[in-house]
Amino acid sequence: MAQEHIIKSYDEELQRLDNALTQMGGIAESQLGSAIEAVIKRDSDVATEVIEGDVRVDNLEREIESQVMRLLALRQPMARDLRQSIAALKIASDLERICDYAANVAKRSIALNQAPPVRPVFALPRMARLAQALIKDVLDAYIARDADKALIVWARDEELDEMYSGLFRELLTYMMEDARNITASTHLLFMAKNIERIGDHATNIAETVYFLVHGSPLNQARPKGDRSSLAFIRPEDGRDRAPAEDEAS
């Protein structure tokens, strides 16, 4: 009877860990959605709420760290239970960074609201919707312990990278068309980069889920579609071109 009670208590602790991560992931999705809403509607009040809400995620991360430390100290988990404890720490860290990036987008939106609206701003919501979907799907994969679903998220990050590269080129061209666009476009570039980094952290979580399920790391090269570092805009016509062989090496 005592053994059954110990096992039940242990299972409940592991479930609380999952619940805390799920709550943290829901906040991450919501924070990103609200940050983009602030950009679209030019609503500084919503942006401020996102920035102030970041503290909730920090508190949850500390709570998860405390739960894991307690599990390691008192339960001495082994095999998959040990992997779950380690995975929880890593996923909580990634979710905390995701919320930091969402807060950064919100901060930039407040600055952007001081300038006239710019055309490329409407490309951000598409990137953000994909990033939100990646967060949701990878957390679903974690809860279901579904490595195949996690791999789908892992592969889709390339799509987000490609969106970022396209917006990067568009914004460079937009800045060259009129120097008055530079300030607003620079803020948009940082916002887009923050969303691209959110995708990278969702990919980190996908790799953690794979490790949790299989007990071994994912030994595939991470797909990357971000070619912004290779973009080159010709001042004379504003068009971008691929770098020559010697330039890329």
Side-chain angles (χ1 to χ4, degrees), residues 4-16:
E4 290 180 5
H5 176 75
I6 292 171
I7 293 173
K8 182 180 178 182
S9 175
Y10 184 27
D11 288 342
E12 287 174 351
E13 287 182 48
L14 291 173
Q15 186 59 53
R16 280 198 296 272

Side-chain angles (χ1 to χ4, degrees), residues 46-187:
V46 171
T48 300
E49 289 175 6
V50 172
I51 297 165
E52 293 176 348
D54 192 47
V55 68
R56 289 183 299 162
V57 177
D58 294 338
N59 290 336
L60 271 171
E61 184 186 22
R62 284 192 289 270
E63 178 184 325
I64 289 168
E65 288 174 350
S66 178
Q67 288 183 38
V68 172
M69 292 303 108
R70 176 182 171 82
L71 276 169
L72 293 175
L74 300 182
R75 303 296 189 181
Q76 297 181 349
M78 299 176 64
R80 186 159 177 160
D81 289 344
L82 177 58
R83 296 202 301 273
Q84 180 177 345
S85 300
I86 295 170
L89 285 176
K90 296 178 70 174
I91 292 172
S93 177
D94 281 310
L95 289 173
E96 191 275 333
R97 292 301 297 144
I98 285 172
C99 290
D100 281 347
Y101 285 122
N104 288 346
V105 171
K107 290 173 186 175
R108 292 276 177 183
S109 75
I110 294 174
L112 193 64
N113 291 346
Q114 312 307 312
V118 291
R119 187 179 64 241
V121 71
F122 300 106
L124 276 181
R126 184 164 168 255
M127 280 189 70
R129 282 193 295 270
L130 176 54
Q132 280 183 294
L134 295 181
I135 297 168
K136 178 183 182 302
D137 288 349
V138 81
L139 289 170
D140 287 347
Y142 170 75
I143 295 302
R145 304 302 191 259
D146 188 336
D148 291 336
K149 187 167 187 175
L151 281 176
I152 292 172
V153 173
W154 183 83
R156 289 196 72 194
D157 182 54
E158 185 174 14
E159 184 181 343
L160 189 63
D161 289 341
E162 289 171 352
M163 286 184 187
Y164 170 69
S165 295
L167 181 56
F168 181 90
R169 291 192 297 269
E170 181 182 358
L171 285 167
L172 287 185
T173 301
Y174 195 64
M175 285 188 276
M176 293 183 64
E177 289 174 353
D178 189 336
R180 290 172 296 183
N181 297 328
I182 290 175
T183 298
S185 295
T186 299
H187 284 302

